[in-house]
């Protein structure tokens, strides 16, 4: 390559010159984030989908121009920030969408710059060692033996059903309740398993009596899926009773703790997960109650030997002689081939905050959720569904119709003033506030209720 060609090549993020190439670009990104956030001025951009699409189109212009634009980084990042739903805004409380910790986000930059791929050791020497150590430590925290890194709860649940099918055969049947995550019956369909047995859940929970009847009457083999932190209401199934029933009937147990798994870090709340260690597989998701940038999912397993079912041979990645010579074989660690080192941000967070620091964040959001529930219960204009189990609070304007509840939510979204979710339980529509911002204050919670009250027709 000639000197002129080298000078015309855009700078790379890694290598000896990478850090200095990134330094001014980071300043550009940070300026654009600040400008976009100020332009948005709230938890969500105002105007609804059409207005947001128009603003993005104006900033983007021709997505693939003949001639490049040196200002594109600032313009597009600013447009993205201006049009974002900001999980760090206490009025943005619709989903299991956490504000990521700064230290985790900084670590994620390093992962992107180094760009290791965890499909062979020679592409990720340090990252593969880091992943092995941290995943096993997290699995032991849950009372299991090992864990795989996934893109989140959906992939973890799919992997859990795949491991169960390979261990027990293609006639394995999923047993879950109506409150289980939608990815579970979808995974059964994708894997060609029989139609799941879906038990009623009038209060959103898996009922041990209904489960006992199902385990007695349904032919095996059976996989029971319990939930520790439902998406709609943050409820936790009675795990000890469910585990005992599975043991008595010889059924396999999977626990979807994508939301509630973060309680493991809290001395105050971890007892709510008693029974987790009886599961064969457990879904964990640290981009929810773990304050990680997405994606940061895991599937913990009790029997690491079952992971052999994921093994594949590709001579360019895990040649037999390389493996025999001591190079780790990574293809049994995921059904994906190219994988970024999502474990890095998790490892940095765990070491930086420790169990105590993460537990304090869990305790804070749970406490704020209880304070919000208290404000709702004391307000004559609102109806509270129930006290929160984790950090999700369901409520609705008193005596409002479901159509009114839905309209209030959409009105706040369109105006960009507040982001609330929706959940249907007991045949009624509820507004959902999921408190995942540890910096939320009591006056933020009161402001959220004021906005809902002011948007409710009289």
């Amino acid at each position: 390559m000639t000197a002129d060609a080298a000078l015309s090549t855009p700078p790379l993020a890694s290598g000896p010159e990478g850090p200095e190439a990134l330094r001014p670009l980071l300043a550009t990104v940070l300026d654009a984030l600040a400008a976009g956030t100020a332009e948005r001025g709230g938890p969500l951009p105002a105007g609804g989908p059409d207005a947001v699409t128009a603003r993005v189109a104006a900033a983007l212009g021709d997505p693939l121009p003949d001639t490049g634009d040196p200002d594109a980084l600032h313009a597009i990042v600013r447009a993205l920030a201006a049009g974002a739903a900001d999980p760090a805004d206490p009025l943005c409380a619709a989903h299991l969408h956490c504000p990521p910790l700064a230290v985790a986000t900084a670590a994620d930059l390093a992962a992107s710059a180094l760009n290791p791929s965890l499909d062979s050791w020679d592409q990720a020497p340090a990252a593969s060692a880091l992943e092995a150590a941290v995943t096993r430590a997290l699995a032991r925290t849950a009372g299991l033996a090992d864990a795989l890194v996934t893109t989140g709860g959906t992939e973890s649940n799919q992997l859990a059903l795949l491991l169960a099918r390979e261990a027990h055969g293609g006639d394995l049947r999923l047993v879950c309740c109506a409150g289980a995550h939608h990815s579970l019956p979808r995974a059964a369909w994708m894997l060609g398993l029989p139609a799941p047995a879906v038990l009623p859940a009038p209060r959103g929970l898996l009922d041990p009596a209904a489960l006992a009847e199902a385990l007695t009457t349904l032919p095996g083999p059976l996989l029971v899926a319990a939930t520790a932190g439902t998406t709609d209401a943050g409820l936790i199934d009675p795990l000890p009773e469910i585990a005992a029933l599975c043991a008595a009937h010889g059924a396999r147990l999977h626990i979807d703790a994508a939301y509630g798994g973060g309680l493991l870090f809290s001395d105050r709340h971890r007892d709510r997960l008693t029974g987790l260690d009886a599961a064969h597989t457990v879904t964990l998701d640290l981009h929810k109650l773990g304050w990680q940038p997405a994606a940061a999912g895991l599937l913990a397993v009790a029997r690491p030997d079952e992971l052999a079912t994921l093994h594949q041979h590709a001579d360019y990645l895990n040649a037999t002689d390389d493996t025999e010579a001591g190079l780790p074989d990574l293809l049994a660690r995921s059904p994906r081939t190219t994988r970024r080192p999502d474990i890095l941000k998790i490892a940095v967070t765990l070491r930086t905050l420790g169990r105590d620091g993460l537990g304090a964040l869990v305790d804070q959001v749970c406490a704020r959720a209880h304070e919000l529930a208290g404000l709702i219960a004391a307000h004559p204009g609102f109806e509270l569904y129930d006290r929160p189990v984790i950090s999700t609070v369901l409520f609705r304007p008193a005596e409002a119709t479901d159509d009114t509840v839905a309209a209030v939510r959409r009105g706040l979204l369109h105006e960009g003033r507040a982001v609330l979710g929706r959940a249907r339980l007991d045949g009624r529509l509820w507004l959902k506030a999921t408190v995942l911002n540890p910096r939320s204050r009591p006056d933020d919670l009161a402001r959220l209720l004021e906005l809902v009250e002011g948007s409710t027709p009289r």
Side-chain angles (χ1 to χ4, degrees), residues 20-416:
E20 290 310 311
L22 280 171
R23 201 176 303 278
L25 297 176
L26 292 181
T28 298
V29 167
L30 295 176
D31 288 345
L33 287 173
T37 300
E39 181 181 334
R40 186 182 65 244
L44 196 76
D50 290 343
V52 173
T53 299
R55 289 194 290 267
V56 169
L60 180 61
D62 182 353
L64 187 59
D66 291 334
T67 303
D69 178 1
D71 296 325
L73 177 63
H74 187 279
I76 295 175
V77 171
R78 176 173 179 167
L80 189 69
D86 184 3
D89 190 305
L91 300 180
C92 184
H95 301 286
L96 292 165
H97 180 198
C98 68
L101 291 165
V103 71
T105 305
D108 217 26
L109 169 64
S112 293
L114 295 169
N115 206 29
S117 178
L118 282 112
D119 51 329
S120 66
W121 182 86
D122 59 349
Q123 298 178 81
S128 59
L130 185 70
E131 183 178 86
V134 176
T135 52
R136 284 165 191 156
L138 286 167
R140 288 193 294 270
T141 299
L144 281 78
D146 199 358
L148 304 180
V149 176
T150 71
T151 55
T154 294
E155 185 187 353
S156 294
N157 286 340
Q158 290 172 351
L159 268 176
L161 266 68
L162 173 62
L163 295 179
R165 186 193 70 179
E166 295 305 294
H168 299 281
D171 57 347
L172 176 78
R173 190 173 186 189
L174 172 67
V175 180
C176 60
C177 77
H181 194 264
H182 64 83
S183 63
L184 287 161
R186 174 185 277 184
W189 167 73
M190 291 175 65
L191 292 167
L193 297 176
V198 180
L199 307 181
R203 293 291 294 174
L205 292 169
L206 181 56
D207 176 36
L211 177 60
E213 182 179 357
L215 293 178
T216 301
T217 57
L218 292 174
L222 300 173
L223 168 64
V224 175
T227 306
T230 59
T231 303
D232 277 345
L235 306 178
I236 298 176
D237 286 334
L239 303 181
E241 294 91 335
I242 292 169
L245 285 168
C246 288
H249 290 271
R252 187 179 175 101
L253 175 60
H254 170 64
I255 298 177
D256 179 359
Y259 177 15
L263 299 178
L264 288 168
F265 300 120
S266 167
D267 290 339
R268 183 178 303 173
H269 297 293
R270 65 177 293 123
D271 285 350
R272 297 183 185 182
L273 298 181
T274 298
L276 200 70
D277 57 354
H280 294 78
T281 50
V282 172
T283 289
L284 302 170
D285 201 345
L286 297 183
H287 57 244
K288 293 183 171 66
L289 202 62
W291 296 280
Q292 298 299 294
L298 299 110
L299 178 71
V301 297
R303 300 172 180 172
D305 58 295
E306 291 186 348
L307 299 180
T309 194
L310 298 177
H311 182 267
Q312 292 289 312
H313 179 78
D315 196 69
Y316 75 105
L317 295 175
N318 61 349
T320 302
D321 57 316
D322 278 349
T323 304
E324 290 174 349
L327 298 186
D329 179 355
L330 304 184
L331 286 189
R333 303 295 300 176
S334 175
R336 292 175 285 140
T337 303
T338 302
R339 290 195 297 120
R340 73 189 306 273
D342 287 317
I343 200 65
L344 174 59
K345 60 200 172 194
I346 298 173
V348 168
T349 300
L350 296 177
R351 284 284 292 170
T352 302
L353 274 69
R355 187 193 299 273
D356 289 346
L358 276 169
L361 295 179
V362 171
D363 293 346
Q364 287 171 35
V365 296
C366 290
R368 293 294 88 76
H370 277 274
E371 290 173 5
L372 175 59
L375 292 174
I376 294 167
H379 195 300
F382 292 114
E383 180 182 352
L384 177 68
Y385 177 76
D386 204 351
R387 293 286 174 175
V389 175
I390 305 178
S391 66
T392 297
V393 182
L394 301 184
F395 68 104
R396 52 184 284 144
E399 301 180 2
T401 65
D402 284 358
D403 287 344
T404 296
V405 173
V408 166
R409 173 181 172 271
R410 286 193 294 269
L412 291 171
L413 290 177
H414 185 83
E415 295 162 5

